[in-house]
Amino acid sequence: MPIEFDRHVQEASFHSPLEEFEAVTVETEVRRDPLTDRNARVVSDHFLMAEDPDIEAVVTDDEGCYFCPDSVDETTPTYPDWVGMDRGHVGEATSFPNLNPYGKHSNVVALTEDHYVPIDEFTAGIFEDGLVAALEYVRRAMDHDADAEFGSVNMNFLRSAGSSIIHPHVQTLVDGEGTNEQRLQAGAARAFYEQEDEAYWPALVDEERDGERYVGATGDVEWVAPFAPKHHRHLVGVVDDPGLPDDDALADLAAGIENALAHYGDVGLNSFNFALHLTEDDPATPPVFHLVARSVFDEYYWSDATFFTSLHDEGVVDVAPETYAAEARAFF
Ligand SMILES: [Zn+2]
């Protein structure tokens, strides 16, 4: 079962009002993800880019913010006894239970003391401390609960990415279910491992290294633009060892996040989602980090979660991974 990159082009024909109603043909490239078999469509002119978004008033209003340093100790929950701490503290990062949990073990890590950080001012140190704080909780949850084999560390940044709170924060989820995407990827990676006697993700990195979708390495983490992106400017960071990442791996990951966000900021993006997939002890699935850009947050921003995203789970992008990988590479 070698890694296959299947793609084909579909052509749509019509008489275009942009060409005085001459007959035109527009191409859509349909790609199949080598691991999950999920489609991505590379289309033309899909993503709306806001220019000079006017968000200053929204992002600087910290009135009533639960995560600001002067209120976090009063307004956020404390852990149950088995966690062994009231809240976690690593550098500026503060971790605490999620007041609105998504499952059995669900926490929040407020990343910074600053209420707002522009996308191109996030540093590796911010993410390193935040990820160390998140993993401290993930480890304790997995140690405490033998059924909790799936973990993830996730981030929505700004409202157009789904965050109701401006203050930068990540959220973990640890349980025995995983999400649909985790189960899909872990199941497919398990099948690959059993057939090929090697893990899919390192094999993918080997296949892509020196190719047009390879972005770079930050320490022991390697970054690629996936062949069939799930969303805009999707980047994937693969940690070299299976199991939960240690502090060195988290520092390497954080360095790459800084680089990737600098690239997003450079092309005018200000909003993103990420998910770090974790399994407690599965040689078929090392820690894998997924990062995507979201609609530019502006006063009247456009949602890029169309029916393709919310109902069809179909990736639709207008910049091919080979194109944005080359742009991102300059920041690694
Ligand atoms: Zn705040």
Side-chain angles (χ1 to χ4, degrees):
M1 191 165 62
I3 296 175
E4 289 180 0
F5 300 103
D6 289 334
R7 58 172 121 186
H8 69 275
V9 171
Q10 299 180 6
E11 292 184 341
S13 300
F14 50 86
H15 299 280
S16 172
L18 306 177
E19 306 280 347
E20 297 184 337
F21 292 94
E22 290 295 309
V24 299
T25 300
V26 177
E27 293 186 345
T28 296
E29 187 175 271
V30 181
R31 298 179 174 208
R32 195 60 65 82
D33 183 80
L35 178 65
T36 62
D37 231 20
R38 179 186 278 117
N39 278 355
R41 292 167 190 262
V42 183
V43 305
S44 55
D45 298 330
H46 171 74
F47 194 77
L48 300 178
M49 287 291 289
E51 307 219 339
D52 299 321
D54 180 15
I55 59 170
E56 200 59 22
V58 176
V59 298
T60 55
D61 177 13
D62 60 2
E63 180 78 32
C65 175
Y66 302 136
F67 299 165
C68 272
D70 55 358
S71 54
V72 69
D73 289 340
E74 306 297 324
T75 55
T76 62
T78 55
Y79 287 122
D81 291 344
W82 61 260
V83 179
M85 55 187 173
D86 290 339
R87 295 187 185 85
H89 298 280
V90 180
E92 289 189 22
T94 304
S95 92
F96 41 85
N98 196 329
L99 194 58
N100 306 109
Y102 291 97
K104 194 168 182 184
H105 309 295
S106 181
N107 88 340
V108 173
V109 181
L111 293 178
T112 54
E113 292 181 354
D114 287 336
H115 177 71
Y116 170 63
V117 179
I119 193 166
D120 53 1
E121 292 181 20
F122 278 106
T123 62
I126 290 173
F127 289 110
E128 182 180 348
D129 289 348
L131 290 172
V132 169
L135 262 292
E136 177 179 48
Y137 174 74
V138 169
R139 270 201 183 77
R140 292 182 192 203
M142 287 181 169
D143 287 347
H144 173 73
D145 181 350
D147 294 331
E149 59 178 311
F150 288 104
S152 60
V153 183
N154 311 283
M155 184 165 182
N156 305 321
F157 184 63
L158 299 185
R159 289 179 185 165
S160 55
S163 183
S164 58
I165 295 171
I166 297 292
H167 201 123
H169 62 287
V170 301
Q171 304 179 62
T172 73
L173 176 60
V174 180
D175 67 14
E177 309 290 325
T179 60
N180 282 323
E181 188 65 27
Q182 280 180 294
R183 280 203 310 278
L184 178 67
Q185 290 190 18
R190 166 60 49 187
F192 184 95
Y193 185 78
E194 286 171 0
Q195 190 157 334
E196 300 295 317
D197 204 26
E198 64 174 333
Y200 171 80
W201 291 103
L204 175 72
V205 169
D206 284 344
E207 179 86 23
E208 296 285 46
R209 196 175 291 115
D210 306 324
E212 56 187 346
R213 289 182 296 273
Y214 186 77
V215 174
T218 47
D220 291 332
V221 176
E222 292 194 87
W223 297 80
V224 296
F227 173 73
K230 277 189 70 67
H231 211 68
H232 306 291
R233 294 182 185 257
H234 186 178
L235 295 171
V236 172
V238 179
V239 177
D240 66 337
D241 285 325
L244 297 178
D246 61 18
D247 288 0
D248 287 342
L250 293 175
D252 293 342
L253 204 47
I257 300 171
E258 177 187 313
N259 297 346
L261 295 184
H263 158 58
Y264 284 2
D266 183 62
V267 293
L269 297 159
N270 65 7
S271 172
F272 62 89
N273 295 127
F274 72 56
L276 171 61
H277 291 206
L278 301 167
T279 54
E280 189 172 20
D281 186 22
D282 182 357
T285 301
V288 179
F289 181 88
H290 295 270
L291 172 70
V292 297
R294 297 298 308 274
S295 288
V296 175
F297 180 46
D298 196 2
E299 185 174 10
Y300 301 109
Y301 63 87
W302 161 79
S303 171
D304 59 358
T306 66
F307 57 77
F308 283 115
T309 311
S310 62
L311 294 171
H312 290 283
D313 201 10
E314 183 96 342
V316 179
V317 300
D318 64 358
V319 182
E322 295 76 17
T323 303
Y324 67 75
E327 295 172 11
R329 202 176 298 134
F331 292 84
F332 279 73

